[in-house]
Amino acid sequence: MTPISPESTIPDFEALLVQRLRDRDESAMTLFYDKYSAALYGVILRIVKTEEVAEDVLQEGLVKIWHSFASYDPTKGRLFTWVLNVCRNLAIDKIRSRQYRVSSRTQPLEGSAALRQAAVPTFRPEHIGLQEMTAKLNPEQKQIIDLLYFGGFTQSEVAEELNLPLGTVKTRARAAIKVLSKLIR
């Protein structure tokens, strides 16, 4: 096992690191982490925009790099370029995933910062009391209205999220809107 340190010249350090990683040397993975993790984390964070998600993607990326290191070909590019592409692709996959999109939209209104923010100039007085009015709906209708109008879901996404037939979601939404329209009058 050849000792290497990050102070070595880049080509020497990288070549020795690649060899040790190919040999499945776990201590080389520690050196790899020390050298590249901050840069990889920064790129991932710019894509996913949340520290917690960025940490998860970085960990997933490191595991993927470790398990698929045999596919790295130094003749096609530098090590950093390859690992950057692995992590960037994982981050892009994460933000495209349904789970990520749903979790980024489903924040309850109760206790949210939106309730404490000053009104925007486009505020329309007819919206006053809307949340209180939705509280008067039955729980099934309120859940659907919250997801549709406050959560940004489509009717199909609500059906999938609540594991209901699309027709049931449409019927409950229509009934809730009728109740709300009577409350507004």
Side-chain angles (χ1 to χ4, degrees):
M1 196 175 327
T2 310
I4 57 174
S5 70
E7 293 78 34
S8 305
T9 64
I10 299 264
D12 294 339
F13 173 79
E14 195 168 288
L16 292 170
L17 182 61
V18 166
Q19 186 55 50
R20 284 181 58 187
L21 288 170
R22 283 198 191 288
D23 294 341
R24 311 299 289 163
D25 180 356
E26 291 179 17
S27 64
M29 195 63 185
T30 302
L31 287 170
F32 172 86
Y33 179 86
D34 292 342
K35 178 112 174 125
Y36 298 117
S37 65
L40 295 173
Y41 176 80
V43 170
I44 294 167
L45 183 60
R46 275 189 237 122
I47 295 169
V48 299
K49 310 238 184 306
T50 308
E51 290 181 9
E52 183 179 319
V53 175
E55 291 167 3
D56 289 345
V57 172
L58 177 61
Q59 182 176 357
E60 188 180 337
L62 293 172
V63 169
K64 184 171 184 167
I65 289 163
W66 177 253
H67 288 296
S68 64
F69 197 79
S71 68
Y72 169 63
D73 182 358
T75 63
K76 292 184 178 177
R78 296 204 33 214
L79 176 63
F80 181 74
T81 305
W82 181 73
V83 298
L84 181 66
N85 283 327
V86 168
C87 290
R88 183 181 56 81
N89 290 341
L90 284 173
I92 291 169
D93 289 347
K94 176 61 99 177
I95 63 171
R96 287 180 178 166
S97 74
R98 172 161 169 57
Q99 177 188 6
Y100 179 84
R101 287 181 295 143
V102 168
S103 70
S104 67
R105 286 192 299 208
T106 56
Q107 299 173 0
L109 286 176
E110 298 82 23
S112 89
L115 295 177
R116 297 184 298 273
Q117 291 178 345
V120 294
T122 59
F123 178 76
R124 297 189 342 230
E126 63 266 22
H127 290 153
I128 293 174
L130 188 60
Q131 184 177 4
E132 290 79 14
M133 284 184 215
T134 62
K136 294 178 183 177
L137 296 171
N138 73 41
E140 293 172 339
Q141 292 172 338
K142 181 175 179 353
Q143 184 180 32
I144 288 175
I145 293 299
D146 284 346
L147 290 173
L148 286 172
Y149 295 98
F150 300 121
F153 282 66
T154 65
Q155 288 179 335
S156 298
E157 290 171 335
V158 170
E160 190 174 324
E161 178 73 19
L162 299 178
N163 199 23
L164 293 171
L166 181 58
T168 302
V169 170
K170 289 181 177 188
T171 301
R172 288 181 186 171
R174 191 171 29 253
I177 290 170
K178 283 182 182 179
V179 170
L180 290 172
S181 69
K182 288 177 185 174
L183 291 172
I184 290 173
R185 291 183 191 145

